[in-house]
Amino acid sequence: MRAWRPASCGIRTASLTPRRPFSITSTRPAGPKVNNAAELLARDEPADRVAVQGWVRSVRKQKRIAFAALGDGSTINSLQAVLRPEDAAGLSHGTAVKLEGEWKASQGAKQSYELQTSSVSIHGENDAESNPLQPKYQTPEFLRTIPHLRPRIPANALLLRLRSQVISTLTRFFNEEGFVQTHTPIITSSDCEGAGEVFTISSNDSKTSDQEPASENQVQVEHFFRSPKYLTVSAQLHLEALAQAVEKVWTLSPTFRAEKSDTSRHLSEFYMLEAEQCFIDDMESVMDLVERMLRAVAIDLKSSKVGKELIQMRCASEPAGGEHLEPSISADDLRTRWKGLAEETWRRITYEEAIKALQHGGFEVSLEDGLSAEHERFLASQSPNKTPIFVTDYPKNQKPFYMPQSTATPNTKGTSETAACFDLLVPDLCELVGGSMREYRSKELLEAMKSKGVAGDSLDWYQDLRKYGSVPHGGFGLGFDRLLCYLSGVGSIRDIVAFPRWYGRCEC
Amino acid sequence: MRAWRPASCGIRTASLTPRRPFSITSTRPAGPKVNNAAELLARDEPADRVAVQGWVRSVRKQKRIAFAALGDGSTINSLQAVLRPEDAAGLSHGTAVKLEGEWKASQGAKQSYELQTSSVSIHGENDAESNPLQPKYQTPEFLRTIPHLRPRIPANALLLRLRSQVISTLTRFFNEEGFVQTHTPIITSSDCEGAGEVFTISSNDSKTSDQEPASENQVQVEHFFRSPKYLTVSAQLHLEALAQAVEKVWTLSPTFRAEKSDTSRHLSEFYMLEAEQCFIDDMESVMDLVERMLRAVAIDLKSSKVGKELIQMRCASEPAGGEHLEPSISADDLRTRWKGLAEETWRRITYEEAIKALQHGGFEVSLEDGLSAEHERFLASQSPNKTPIFVTDYPKNQKPFYMPQSTATPNTKGTSETAACFDLLVPDLCELVGGSMREYRSKELLEAMKSKGVAGDSLDWYQDLRKYGSVPHGGFGLGFDRLLCYLSGVGSIRDIVAFPRWYGRCEC
């Protein structure tokens, strides 16, 4: 397309001396303001001259008239354009176009207004026939092989906007709560938490190495940082250091697990929201923070355009691609989820109480067993009104070294054999958040590290945090992509992450 | 500390049936509301009973009275507390405490109010003598060896708050501009852009491998994703895919370079802000976006508490740790930088004009040479009023495959031998932003990829973006940590990133 237009700020200089703005070489008059599809569709009065740009979602050519449905990702809804057949000649599914014309009351029933198109400009190439993404049902599994095209499905574009909106809400929420947003490192020295399920990094200077690789599936690597380094499995330890500088910190960062799991809830690369707060006396404060945060997200979502379109996606007879996102839930179930987050009271039960509830529900389970995914699902399903449920004070031997005994913090139900920790379970999805107080006593921390076999040079710095100005603190980690699954009713984390990575799979 | 307080939301249940809130076991009455130091210091009227928590920055014990300076990261300023000598006995530099008392007009000249402390609670351990972080001048080089403690220096805590504030401004800015914030992948299949200077990742299952490592400095690795995968050097290619779904996208993501560089401007891990926009006709739109964005950041900063404290840090005789951040600039220079971003007109010159200006300035340089850091510094220094300067239309052979000829976009000064690209140079720091139009024509892109030797399976997906609904688009990448250096006057990127990683160095 060659629609010349004035450069609004086109001041250029020669030899660093100021000069007049560029002269505009085109004789074409400036066109009407370009709206996005959502803006135009919201307009319920006619307009003589409007312009809109986007991609053709479908085109129907008749003898005397043609119709094109246009979308630009600003809404899952399509804008109907009426064209002269000759103007529609070059259009097919996927073509990027600019349309100009008149915004008029529609004759059809599907939308109240439509674009009577007077001018069509095609932006670039489109080979609709060979496009792997076709305007018909395609399985989620297939679509995961073309993540670079999949976001063009209106439902997937909506999920991109959902992610953006939730980030925005969280940024505002934590600002208002006085938390400082931080960037914690991705490359770390410690692999302690992941119990070996970490990615190791290396520079690939080895490409020029003389040495032969030991096998086809192995390469020689060099330690760029002198010793082995890993991709972080959690920002928590670093956040604890930063919290001792500014009291309350959070981050939304990528985290990694080299787990060979093949489930709808796990990826090798995913975003975690983690927060850490000093000067708190007990774990209730941490759970309160989690509650306020998720309520804020749900309240924002309920009243937003993104929220309305998520509901619409679950209602529609033509679900704009929502059918690709299996297993899907109904609009009513989605509303109930949001209401559960936004309004209802959430329960807090101890692990011991959870075990009793499971036994009462017919499960053969003892305190030592730990909770399986099936157990968690049962507990979450028992929660009335689809509310999340906190399970607290798990047996200490099931938990990482940094979690203190429950008795080390006040207002606790637990014992010296239980940890001051919690999981937040939500219906269907189960674990969404995990949090705890942190062992802030130097001696107790060192003992815990020794007994878990993680004491060593690489965590000396973490022990320092307890030696110098130690202070009671706690925090939590939220699986951010899981949260988006829960909010949207998308069943698999592989469909909510634009470019998902899991064992053996890393497209693009 | 054992300051029991009611759990505000402490509803617990036994066997999943609701129950009364916890009874409060402590008989201690609830204390006064806890303020942070910034809130309390802003209070210029007395108060009978206040509480504040934080870390002791210094303590001075006299026979009949003691003084403690307290900070909690909410401000670089210290809050002065007056204590009975016996209450100050356990306090030293770094101790975490809760102080309660009366907020009173001060006798001293340094601050108008002070805390007449009636109660002191020490939170945890503090071995001030063995603390590597001491309340005296310590070199930046030394402090980089203790990044877990360094943020406690008030100036470094301020830099954390600066980062948080700039992220918040940018989140708001891009929302208002209609951009969708996205999460692009960290693990990628392509290493094309970095020309070999990428990190390779592997799972460390090799730990249990029977095979001996080839040498002490090498380990055997397995391809978790079947073929070699890398840490991303730029989100751009993936952003381009997402832009074709929702038109305008941005991300603030970690990026990686396995470069063995040893400068104050490079790290192996750093944050890039990248944005991509479809349906734009020329590069002026991209530069306009960059300008609006940086203006928004500077305008917010100028009027903020963080901005005022950055100025204060550069003025103060006791610079709260600012002296650790060498080389530092004056308060006036910092104000001029911000004004240059917020208010002045920015110049846009072509590479050819830049070369002429350099020749005119006495440099022996030709069109073929490219711009060195020294050249960039000269060009940026020539810019009046410390404004940034755009240099556009570099020789095409100096630029990556995805940049089109200047003549492929309208309103251009360049030729078919130049690329439709720009760098934004700022005084002192030089390159801050790089951007360009992207080659959106399928055939031309493929030719460019072949001629640069990057065509191949791993970028087939990128070529798809030109085959199906291709559209003119462009974008930019901003070195986020460099921006923070520029805004704060911090001379080295190693001091603005909390846990910096560079060749041979990865502490914590």
Side-chain angles (χ1 to χ4, degrees):
Chain A
M1 196 174 78
R2 296 273 165 202
W4 264 244
R5 62 179 184 187
S8 61
C9 216
I11 298 164
R12 288 170 169 278
T13 63
S15 309
L16 293 176
T17 51
R19 199 168 71 172
R20 267 165 32 84
F22 257 142
S23 58
I24 307 305
T25 50
S26 166
T27 54
R28 208 168 130 174
K33 176 182 175 291
V34 178
N35 297 279
N36 68 31
E39 287 164 355
L40 203 47
L41 283 171
R43 184 184 175 103
D44 52 4
E45 52 181 29
D48 278 354
R49 208 162 157 229
V50 296
V52 63
Q53 304 188 100
W55 289 268
V56 173
R57 288 183 181 166
S58 68
V59 58
R60 192 156 45 93
K61 297 168 191 173
Q62 297 175 356
K63 205 166 180 181
R64 300 194 170 173
I65 196 168
F67 300 93
L70 192 79
D72 59 6
S74 61
T75 163
I76 55 169
N77 298 308
S78 297
L79 184 148
Q80 175 161 287
V82 185
L83 306 99
R84 290 182 297 255
E86 60 270 31
D87 284 343
L91 305 188
S92 49
H93 172 252
T95 314
V97 291
K98 179 176 182 179
L99 304 180
E100 291 184 35
E102 190 182 347
W103 189 241
K104 281 185 73 169
S106 172
Q107 307 297 323
K110 278 186 86 178
Q111 62 180 31
S112 50
Y113 280 79
E114 64 192 10
L115 183 69
Q116 289 286 344
T117 311
S118 56
S119 147
V120 175
S121 316
I122 294 179
H123 280 294
E125 202 174 309
N126 183 48
D127 184 357
E129 280 187 30
S130 75
N131 192 337
L133 188 71
Q134 287 292 321
K136 61 173 185 181
Y137 176 76
Q138 294 181 296
T139 67
E141 289 73 21
F142 171 74
L143 291 172
R144 288 171 201 150
T145 66
I146 50 168
H148 58 303
L149 302 173
R150 184 176 62 163
R152 301 173 181 204
I153 299 169
N156 288 76
L158 176 58
L159 296 179
L160 288 178
R161 286 188 287 126
L162 169 67
R163 180 178 293 266
S164 185
Q165 176 169 312
V166 175
I167 298 172
S168 175
T169 297
L170 290 167
T171 304
R172 198 202 64 224
F173 170 81
F174 279 109
N175 260 338
E176 289 170 359
E177 293 266 342
F179 278 69
V180 174
Q181 186 170 5
T182 63
H183 286 149
T184 44
I186 308 301
I187 300 173
T188 60
S189 297
S190 157
D191 67 341
C192 65
E193 250 212 309
E197 289 169 332
V198 295
F199 289 108
T200 308
I201 67 147
S202 51
S203 69
N204 67 349
D205 274 8
S206 53
K207 280 183 173 173
T208 56
S209 163
D210 289 339
Q211 283 177 297
E212 283 295 308
S215 83
E216 265 196 12
N217 206 26
Q218 294 185 321
V219 292
Q220 304 291 328
V221 294
E222 178 208 2
H223 291 311
F224 185 87
F225 296 108
R226 292 193 199 142
S227 58
K229 300 295 168 197
Y230 313 97
L231 294 185
T232 184
V233 295
S234 161
Q236 180 200 318
L237 308 191
H238 295 91
L239 273 186
E240 288 183 61
L242 300 177
Q244 280 182 270
V246 289
E247 194 184 330
K248 302 184 213 176
V249 291
W250 73 290
T251 187
L252 179 56
S253 303
T255 43
F256 305 84
R257 301 280 156 84
E259 284 171 7
K260 295 181 179 173
S261 50
D262 185 23
T263 82
S264 61
R265 304 192 306 146
H266 296 89
L267 288 176
S268 297
E269 174 181 326
F270 54 99
Y271 267 76
M272 282 255 280
L273 187 159
E274 293 174 89
E276 204 68 31
Q277 180 170 10
C278 288
F279 302 111
I280 51 172
D281 299 323
D282 60 51
M283 204 168 66
E284 304 288 333
S285 315
V286 185
M287 290 189 279
D288 293 349
L289 176 65
V290 169
E291 232 181 278
R292 287 198 302 278
M293 173 187 74
L294 290 174
R295 285 191 199 286
V297 168
I299 288 167
D300 263 18
L301 182 60
K302 276 174 73 176
S303 61
S304 70
K305 185 161 78 77
V306 167
K308 290 189 181 76
E309 296 201 342
L310 284 170
I311 294 294
Q312 185 194 338
M313 186 174 87
R314 296 302 180 191
C315 293
S317 53
E318 288 175 55
E323 75 277 20
H324 298 296
L325 304 164
E326 297 175 307
S328 66
I329 68 169
S330 72
D332 278 347
D333 282 347
L334 202 56
R335 279 198 200 94
T336 307
R337 277 191 185 178
W338 298 351
K339 190 161 181 286
L341 289 177
E343 294 171 24
E344 310 289 347
T345 304
W346 303 3
R347 286 176 172 174
R348 301 179 182 187
I349 64 170
T350 63
Y351 173 85
E352 193 180 336
E353 289 164 341
I355 294 291
K356 280 185 192 149
L358 284 166
Q359 289 167 339
H360 194 256
F363 289 87
E364 285 193 19
V365 61
S366 73
L367 281 174
E368 294 72 37
D369 291 341
L371 300 182
S372 68
E374 193 191 359
H375 296 148
E376 289 183 349
R377 204 166 295 122
F378 174 80
L379 291 169
S381 72
Q382 295 297 97
S383 189
N385 304 321
K386 292 268 180 189
T387 50
I389 181 167
F390 287 104
V391 180
T392 68
D393 302 285
Y394 285 68
K396 202 163 177 316
N397 59 19
Q398 294 177 16
K399 292 293 174 180
F401 67 92
Y402 50 74
M403 294 191 183
Q405 295 171 354
S406 298
T407 47
T409 58
N411 280 348
T412 179
K413 289 269 290 177
T415 69
S416 62
E417 273 75 51
T418 61
C421 69
F422 66 86
D423 278 359
L424 181 70
L425 311 180
V426 293
D428 311 324
L429 200 71
C430 301
E431 190 195 337
L432 185 64
V433 182
S436 79
M437 298 300 286
R438 319 304 188 186
E439 180 56 79
Y440 76 101
R441 299 164 302 177
S442 176
K443 187 165 144 275
E444 283 78 358
L445 179 70
L446 188 58
E447 275 166 17
M449 291 173 79
K450 281 180 184 163
S451 79
K452 299 271 185 186
V454 298
D457 285 357
S458 73
L459 281 180
D460 277 355
W461 67 271
Y462 186 68
Q463 289 179 46
D464 276 358
L465 304 181
R466 277 65 182 173
K467 289 183 194 155
Y468 313 120
S470 188
V471 57
H473 63 287
F476 69 86
L478 160 80
F480 186 68
D481 307 299
R482 280 191 192 176
L483 171 63
L484 299 183
C485 280
Y486 189 68
L487 293 173
S488 62
V490 169
S492 173
I493 199 167
R494 295 172 184 176
D495 298 329
I496 204 96
V497 170
F499 296 92
R501 279 87 175 85
W502 71 96
Y503 181 54
R505 288 289 292 276
C506 177
E507 312 282 351
C508 303
Chain B
M1 197 175 78
R2 297 274 164 199
W4 263 244
R5 63 181 185 186
S8 62
C9 217
I11 298 165
R12 287 171 171 277
T13 64
S15 309
L16 294 175
T17 51
R19 200 169 68 174
R20 266 164 35 83
F22 256 142
S23 57
I24 307 305
T25 50
S26 166
T27 53
R28 207 169 131 175
K33 177 182 175 289
V34 178
N35 296 279
N36 68 32
E39 287 164 354
L40 202 47
L41 283 170
R43 182 184 177 103
D44 52 5
E45 53 183 28
D48 277 354
R49 209 166 156 224
V50 297
V52 63
Q53 304 188 99
W55 289 267
V56 173
R57 288 183 181 166
S58 67
V59 58
R60 192 155 46 92
K61 298 168 190 173
Q62 297 176 356
K63 206 167 179 181
R64 300 193 173 177
I65 196 167
F67 300 94
L70 192 79
D72 60 5
S74 61
T75 164
I76 55 170
N77 297 308
S78 297
L79 184 146
Q80 175 161 288
V82 185
L83 306 99
R84 291 182 296 255
E86 60 270 31
D87 284 342
L91 305 188
S92 50
H93 171 252
T95 313
V97 290
K98 178 176 183 179
L99 304 181
E100 291 183 36
E102 190 181 348
W103 189 241
K104 282 184 73 169
S106 174
Q107 308 295 324
K110 279 187 84 177
Q111 63 180 30
S112 49
Y113 280 80
E114 65 192 8
L115 183 69
Q116 290 286 345
T117 312
S118 56
S119 147
V120 176
S121 316
I122 293 179
H123 281 294
E125 203 174 308
N126 183 49
D127 183 358
E129 280 188 29
S130 75
N131 193 337
L133 188 72
Q134 287 292 321
K136 61 172 187 183
Y137 176 77
Q138 294 180 296
T139 67
E141 290 73 21
F142 171 73
L143 291 172
R144 288 172 201 149
T145 66
I146 49 168
H148 59 303
L149 302 173
R150 183 175 63 163
R152 302 172 181 204
I153 300 168
N156 288 76
L158 175 59
L159 296 179
L160 288 178
R161 285 188 287 127
L162 169 67
R163 179 178 294 265
S164 184
Q165 176 168 312
V166 175
I167 298 172
S168 175
T169 298
L170 289 167
T171 304
R172 200 201 63 225
F173 170 81
F174 279 110
N175 260 337
E176 288 170 1
E177 293 266 342
F179 278 68
V180 175
Q181 185 169 7
T182 63
H183 286 148
T184 45
I186 307 302
I187 299 173
T188 61
S189 297
S190 157
D191 67 342
C192 64
E193 251 211 307
E197 287 169 332
V198 295
F199 289 108
T200 308
I201 66 145
S202 52
S203 68
N204 67 349
D205 273 8
S206 53
K207 280 182 172 173
T208 56
S209 163
D210 289 339
Q211 283 177 298
E212 283 295 308
S215 83
E216 264 197 13
N217 207 26
Q218 295 185 321
V219 292
Q220 305 292 327
V221 295
E222 178 207 2
H223 292 312
F224 185 87
F225 297 108
R226 293 193 198 140
S227 58
K229 300 295 166 195
Y230 313 97
L231 293 185
T232 185
V233 296
S234 160
Q236 180 200 317
L237 307 192
H238 294 90
L239 273 186
E240 288 184 61
L242 300 177
Q244 280 183 271
V246 290
E247 195 185 329
K248 302 183 211 175
V249 290
W250 73 290
T251 189
L252 178 57
S253 302
T255 43
F256 304 85
R257 301 281 156 84
E259 283 169 8
K260 295 181 179 173
S261 49
D262 185 22
T263 81
S264 61
R265 304 192 307 144
H266 296 89
L267 288 177
S268 298
E269 173 181 326
F270 55 99
Y271 268 76
M272 282 255 279
L273 188 159
E274 293 175 88
E276 204 68 30
Q277 180 170 10
C278 287
F279 302 112
I280 51 173
D281 299 324
D282 60 49
M283 205 168 64
E284 304 288 334
S285 314
V286 185
M287 289 189 280
D288 292 349
L289 177 65
V290 170
E291 232 181 277
R292 288 198 301 278
M293 174 188 72
L294 290 174
R295 284 191 199 288
V297 167
I299 288 167
D300 263 18
L301 182 60
K302 277 175 72 175
S303 61
S304 70
K305 184 162 78 79
V306 167
K308 289 191 181 76
E309 296 202 343
L310 284 169
I311 294 295
Q312 185 192 338
M313 186 174 87
R314 296 302 179 193
C315 292
S317 52
E318 287 175 56
E323 75 277 19
H324 299 295
L325 304 165
E326 297 174 306
S328 67
I329 67 170
S330 73
D332 279 347
D333 283 346
L334 202 56
R335 279 198 201 92
T336 308
R337 278 191 184 179
W338 298 352
K339 190 159 180 287
L341 289 177
E343 293 171 23
E344 310 287 348
T345 305
W346 302 2
R347 287 177 172 173
R348 301 179 182 188
I349 65 168
T350 64
Y351 174 84
E352 193 180 338
E353 290 165 342
I355 294 292
K356 281 185 191 149
L358 284 165
Q359 288 167 340
H360 194 255
F363 288 87
E364 285 194 18
V365 60
S366 74
L367 281 174
E368 294 72 36
D369 291 341
L371 300 183
S372 69
E374 193 192 359
H375 297 149
E376 290 184 349
R377 206 167 293 120
F378 174 80
L379 291 169
S381 73
Q382 295 296 99
S383 189
N385 302 321
K386 293 266 181 191
T387 52
I389 182 167
F390 286 105
V391 180
T392 69
D393 301 284
Y394 285 68
K396 201 164 178 320
N397 59 18
Q398 294 178 16
K399 292 293 175 180
F401 68 91
Y402 51 73
M403 294 190 181
Q405 295 171 354
S406 299
T407 47
T409 60
N411 281 347
T412 180
K413 289 269 290 177
T415 70
S416 63
E417 273 77 49
T418 61
C421 69
F422 66 87
D423 277 359
L424 181 70
L425 311 180
V426 293
D428 311 322
L429 200 71
C430 301
E431 190 196 337
L432 185 63
V433 182
S436 80
M437 298 299 287
R438 318 304 188 188
E439 181 56 80
Y440 75 101
R441 300 164 301 177
S442 174
K443 189 165 142 274
E444 283 79 357
L445 179 69
L446 189 58
E447 276 166 15
M449 291 174 78
K450 281 180 184 162
S451 80
K452 298 271 185 187
V454 297
D457 286 354
S458 75
L459 281 179
D460 279 355
W461 68 271
Y462 185 69
Q463 289 179 46
D464 276 358
L465 304 181
R466 276 64 182 173
K467 289 183 195 156
Y468 313 120
S470 187
V471 57
H473 63 286
F476 68 87
L478 160 80
F480 185 68
D481 307 299
R482 281 192 192 175
L483 171 64
L484 298 183
C485 279
Y486 189 67
L487 292 173
S488 62
V490 169
S492 173
I493 199 167
R494 296 172 184 176
D495 298 329
I496 204 96
V497 170
F499 295 91
R501 278 88 175 86
W502 71 96
Y503 182 55
R505 289 289 292 275
C506 176
E507 311 282 351
C508 303

